[in-house]
Amino acid sequence: MKTPFPSTSEVPVSRRSFLRGAGVLAALPFLETVAPSVVRAGSRVPLKPPVRFGIYTVTGGTVSESWVPQELGNLGKLPSILRTLEPHKEDLVILSNLSQSGQGDGRINAHEHCAYVHLSCADTVGKLNGKPMASQSVDERAAEIVGAQSLIPAVRMGYSGGETSFFFDRQGRSLGVERNPRMAFERMFKGRQLVAPNWSRRLAGGSPEAQPLGSKAYDAQVVDLLLDDARRLQKQLGRSDQGKLNEYLESVFSIEQRVRRLHERIAIEAVDLKDPGPSNPHAPSNLPTDNAAQDQMVRAVSRNPAIHGDYLRVMTDLMVLAFQTDTTRVCSLGLGTDEALFPGVVTVGYEHHAHTLEHHGNAARVEDADPVAREGCRQIHAWYSQFFTDAVAKMRAIDEGGSSLLDNTVLLYTSYMADGGHGTKNYPALLAGGAGGKLKGGRHIAYQKETPFANLYVEVLDLLGDRSGEFGNSKTSKKAAYEGRLPGLV
Amino acid sequence: MNLARFIYASLSLLPVVAGAVVPEFQEGFRTIVERYCLECHDEKKQKGGVDLSVVTNGETALDRYHLLRKVAEQVRSGEMPPEDEQALKPEDKQTLLHWIAGTFDTSKSPHPGPPLARQLTRAEYNATLRDLLRINFDAASQAGIPEENVVGGYSNRAGGLVLEPVLMEKFFTAADLALDYLFGDKAAAGPLKTLLVVRPDDSTQPDSALRKVLSVFLPRAFRRPVADEEVNAFARLGVSALTNGDAFEEAVRKAIKPVLVSPHFLLRLESTASATPGTVARVSNAELAVRLSYFLWATMPDEELFIAANNGTLSEPEGFERQVRRMLAHQKAEALNRYFLERWLQLPSIQKALPSQNAFPSYTRSLRDAMERETRMFCEHLRKEDRSILEFIEADYTFVNAELSKHYRIIPPSGKDFAKVNLRPEDHRGGLLGMGSILTMTSHTDRTKPTARGKWILEVLLGTPPPPPPPNAGTFAPKSKDKIEPKSFREKLAQHASNASCVGCHRRVDPLGFALEDFDAVGTWRADAGGQTVDNAGTLPGIGDFKGVEGLRRILQQKQPVIIRNIAAQTLSYALGRDLSYYDEPALDEIVTALAQNEHRFSSLILGVAKSYPFQNRKAE
């Protein structure tokens, strides 16, 4: 088995300057935004372990009367969907009345509409040539801010995709999600040791310089060859082919970047291994052992709740592990599927199909909904919450040297619809974690009705160090409020 | 819903006044629309999602082709303006239709559409790698290359594929895995021998053997003739490996890996180096061969097609037709069914259908698979036996196994396995409308969904999808005191659809589904619906009353030209990897004409598309 990418390579800077000079790379923001270094001795030394941003979003909307606490301010007994989080409530901030106002272009159905605005908060979403279109999603934006400091700028995993596409690049093109747990694991950890970063040593400046990459290495030659060839090719192509070739080049560069970072990281981790951080990272216990086992698991998700649960557990563990090992600082899980069946989870009525329950159990007014179906929806969401609770508990238990991983994370728990009737008002939203000591938990804050969800992303991005003060339609929404911020949150 | 699959109802059916000058925008469109349409279809009201005020002149009209196409179709058929509104005067109708037809007339300046960069789909990549290396190896699955994130429609849409970094990583991985297999697995000994056309020996130096191997491999990998300097560029890696002491095989492997992640391999690039921007030229023979093989086979050309491209026979009409017929009959043409026909019919949705166990205990996994197989075999039969595409609508045969025939209550095949069976009129089956797959995937867990069935007919067969429902339309209206409690599902739906914002679409959609009400949610012919008599009657605006699946088939008979043109449009759209527009109309006219002259045989559809102007030509940018 080879590494999933060239093991060593370095394209001389002179070549890249040449390419840029030739105008080939003018359209590659990637190179402008990714700073080429990891934390090195003597360079900008943060005082604490880094802040991580996690997105934990499940399908189907929720049942708000069982999600949103009645009282404002300090959290009392949590509503039933969140009940499993009771032991962790001092680490939670529940936010209510956050809403989306983005419009569809008339070419998308209600699920697509909700999915495309979910993490982008775009004013308009739609389809172009059958392909979802929105604006940059918050995970990608976050990766532009903090991604350069970790091995992989942003990790996206889970079951979302198709109608539930949540993730978009800077050009508004839909991005893929890794659905397979084993593939996700290999992409993150192939060639590395599982080691807890020794943050105090790393922050004190004890990291080694990586050995310079040999420019004569085979994989460097491969990349050189591809770039040379692509450059020659540019001259022979029409505009649209050139655009496609730029996409290609951008991807080859990002692989080159990955290789360089991996190389540097392996050197750092080799030192950490002698004196690792206090926690003990390990591969998820139910990580499928081979492709066949993995396919079996992934295929059964929508039919078998026990296997669905295994899947949520392993994906949750992967996110925790990714943060614990500083593989990424931005990790999104798009979990669940509206197509799933929930026999045994739903114990009322005879209907077990999430999508049908969502349609029957939701109406403009609670009293108009089918109460049995609504109870079914409630049970499904209480079930999802267990797995989120697992993530919170595990992150709380990981010691990063005086603070827990949870203390250093801001983890959003939400759904792509507000309710099962494709609602866009009053989404379920809570933040878990201390964001490096900046976020105080144990609270429920209700904002004015229809406050843009984008305002929450502005706050999260701010916690990560973004000072632009704007995201999605935080300022342009018809319902813009609080000058695009969420007062009292931080 | 996918707007990409829009209606291609026949503009050529429009009354074109020979020699008459196309009227100006103001008198040909704006004045008439103001008088008859804008009250409902302006920016504010946008009834049915239609806003005609966006068409402000002849230029903006060109960007609104799909909209105006629909306008023309509905005005022509009398569906619009609706009965209860002011009727169009015949001369106004004539003028409007004439203006639309004239605006989109490209007969004097043919246009092959925009040249689009094509990226191999997951399936194309996998098949191409398999054929290129001659190995039976599923590299895409091994490397975790994901299915295309395309909702509805075809996965090969040029605009829909993004070569994003994560995908590129997986192409690197897949290349390594495939080469591990080729150079390391015993099962690949034969293919490896074929690849290594020369081995170094006393008379051949290792580096010249390497060049020889590459000079045979590269043209196949890049699907075109390759210059010596390109061979040398890749050979250098192998030579450098040889210098470092690698064995010959390892050196070949190192020279080949970059080929498998090269843009020439992953993309379908067409050179326009020598062409003046704006000019249209026929694509080269090699490029045409590639277009053909990805259209019909979803993989690279085979030896014979390469030869036909190289020796020029592909550019001769007989030679071209011979190749198309040969490829269509080849087993690889199953790809055309899998990636085109089955997706057009939305057949993959049957795997997502979830009839509840309580309501339909007979619906098992094997029954579901049998339903899918019936449709698949029907499509295969159409291709292999070169049947008429009209059999999609009406046929006196189908394919069943024992389980499915029992489900359908028709005469079973002689054995247990799948076989072609003849149908009697009293079976009510034959064609897509009687198939369990279609009927089940358009149903709810516990009941039929006439709206979904109607939508399927409009979208798939006629190519006229209704707009998606507004975001708040998901549920039935709440009970209220001033409304009578509905007695049946039909009444419940009628109440829901009487809502002003819903009625415009529902009255076009639902009646088509009502006609299929004799089939329950898993496609069984039923005597009653939950104790109530089955109501299988429908009325369509501008068409009238009809009853049951037989009545529906008669309606579709009347709509035959629309259906044929839609099938032609879907096929052309799949072949080109893009949405169609007004400049494709002349090509569609020709395909439809050829179909009519050839008893609507499947081969004439495919030949028509392959010979069409946009398939054969490219515009330089």
Side-chain angles (χ1 to χ4, degrees), chain A residues 11-90:
Chain A
V11 174
V13 171
S14 59
R15 174 188 315 283
R16 216 176 295 152
S17 323
F18 174 81
L19 287 170
R20 192 178 291 161
V24 176
L25 301 175
L28 300 184
F30 180 84
L31 288 180
E32 311 299 335
T33 54
V34 177
S37 76
V38 294
V39 179
R40 282 225 174 88
S43 65
R44 293 170 294 132
V45 177
L47 300 170
K48 299 177 195 155
V51 177
R52 281 77 139 206
F53 173 33
I55 298 173
Y56 199 105
T57 181
V58 297
T59 55
T62 196
V63 178
S64 63
E65 68 273 17
S66 305
W67 213 101
V68 181
Q70 297 282 331
E71 326 77 40
L72 297 179
N74 291 344
L75 289 176
K77 189 173 183 190
L78 292 175
S80 70
I81 290 180
L82 301 178
R83 195 64 49 78
T84 49
L85 283 160
E86 194 70 30
H88 305 284
K89 69 182 168 201
E90 291 313 310

Side-chain angles (χ1 to χ4, degrees), chain A residues 154-224:
Chain A
V155 171
R156 294 176 290 275
M157 300 184 288
Y159 220 79
S160 65
E163 285 195 354
T164 52
S165 294
F166 304 146
F167 305 99
F168 297 88
D169 71 5
R170 194 192 259 254
Q171 283 84 34
R173 296 175 304 204
S174 159
L175 293 170
V177 172
E178 182 57 77
R179 184 168 280 198
N180 301 308
R182 211 174 64 86
M183 300 281 180
F185 181 82
E186 290 196 357
R187 173 160 190 259
M188 294 195 286
F189 297 106
K190 187 140 219 161
R192 292 168 67 200
Q193 306 264 9
L194 280 181
V195 56
N198 182 333
W199 287 111
S200 54
R201 185 190 55 73
R202 284 197 193 178
L203 300 175
S207 292
E209 290 282 345
Q211 291 295 310
L213 288 159
S215 61
K216 289 282 187 288
Y218 168 66
D219 288 316
Q221 294 176 342
V222 171
V223 171
D224 270 9

